[in-house]
Amino acid sequence: MMPHQYGPLLFATAVLLIALLSDWLRTGTRR
Amino acid sequence: MNATAARSVGWRPDWGRYALLWVRMAFGSHSLISGLNHFLPLFSIDGGGDPALSPIGPLMGELMATGLYDGVKLVETAVGICLLANRFVPLAALVELPISVVIAWLCLFVDESPNIVFSGLREISFNLFILACYAGYFRPVVAWKADVRPVWSGRSAGR
């Protein structure tokens, strides 16, 4: 695979992990 | 209850939303860089992806000669911005669909090399998944006998 093919997949995974982590932390502090 | 246990109790993730986020980011960033790369030289695609070396070459040549390819890349750039910014997402996915169908067709049935087949499957499946996530916006279009609601009558916004 070329960088322009896997780059977007890596970027999307990074955004997803940040979203998951921030949602998880937010839920934890609210309870 | 400690903080970790509280989190595991309170955290009920909507996995569909996260799947959409991942697909939107992957498809949006790919569209944006592949669109922008046509106008600004961000990276070269020599090696694996040069269309001139593929059976797709002649069609690509004609698309470029007729100027249609510039339009495709303009649409891809705009769609990429919309998907990344989470704005006009159903419209962006709909506008991108004809491009995705052509790309998938060329990749799956014309080029057929494994790397390119992967690109084609990714393109069409990401696009269809986003459309499926916004199906509620498209269901009214499936009307057996549709009432006329012209844009000039003021009834076009009605349900």
Side-chain angles (χ1 to χ4, degrees):
Chain A
M1 268 212 288
M2 306 284 288
H4 67 277
Q5 289 180 307
Y6 62 73
L9 306 182
L10 286 178
F11 170 70
T13 305
V15 173
L16 176 67
L17 289 177
I18 292 167
L20 278 168
L21 189 66
S22 78
D23 288 355
W24 183 65
L25 290 172
R26 213 153 12 116
T27 312
T29 49
R30 204 184 296 143
R31 298 247 157 183
Chain B
M1 197 185 288
N2 65 33
T4 312
R7 277 177 194 135
S8 64
V9 168
W11 197 50
R12 286 192 182 75
D14 178 356
W15 294 110
R17 229 188 89 240
Y18 291 115
L20 175 61
L21 175 69
W22 189 84
V23 171
R24 196 161 54 73
M25 289 295 123
F27 195 49
S29 56
H30 183 266
S31 296
L32 181 62
I33 59 172
S34 119
L36 274 185
N37 194 51
H38 179 68
F39 304 106
L40 311 163
L42 301 174
F43 55 85
S44 87
I45 53 165
D46 55 82
D50 188 353
L53 305 173
S54 148
I56 298 172
L59 177 65
M60 295 292 286
E62 286 306 310
L63 286 174
M64 287 173 189
T66 53
L68 206 54
Y69 199 67
D70 295 323
V72 168
K73 290 295 166 183
L74 208 59
V75 169
E76 269 194 323
T77 306
V79 165
I81 292 169
C82 288
L83 293 183
L84 289 176
N86 200 15
R87 295 291 184 271
F88 300 111
V89 174
L91 177 64
L94 185 65
V95 167
E96 183 69 11
L97 185 63
I99 299 172
S100 294
V101 168
V102 172
I103 291 173
W105 182 272
L106 294 175
C107 292
L108 296 175
F109 304 119
V110 183
D111 190 290
E112 296 179 339
S113 61
N115 193 23
I116 300 295
V117 165
F118 168 79
S119 297
L121 285 175
R122 183 203 52 206
E123 183 81 15
I124 194 70
S125 55
F126 282 6
N127 201 332
L128 289 177
F129 178 74
I130 294 174
L131 288 173
C133 288
Y134 293 91
Y137 289 90
F138 302 110
R139 289 183 70 166
V141 172
V142 189
W144 179 257
K145 192 170 186 309
D147 292 331
V148 178
R149 289 178 188 168
V151 70
W152 56 85
S153 77
R155 292 175 60 212
S156 61
R159 298 197 149 257

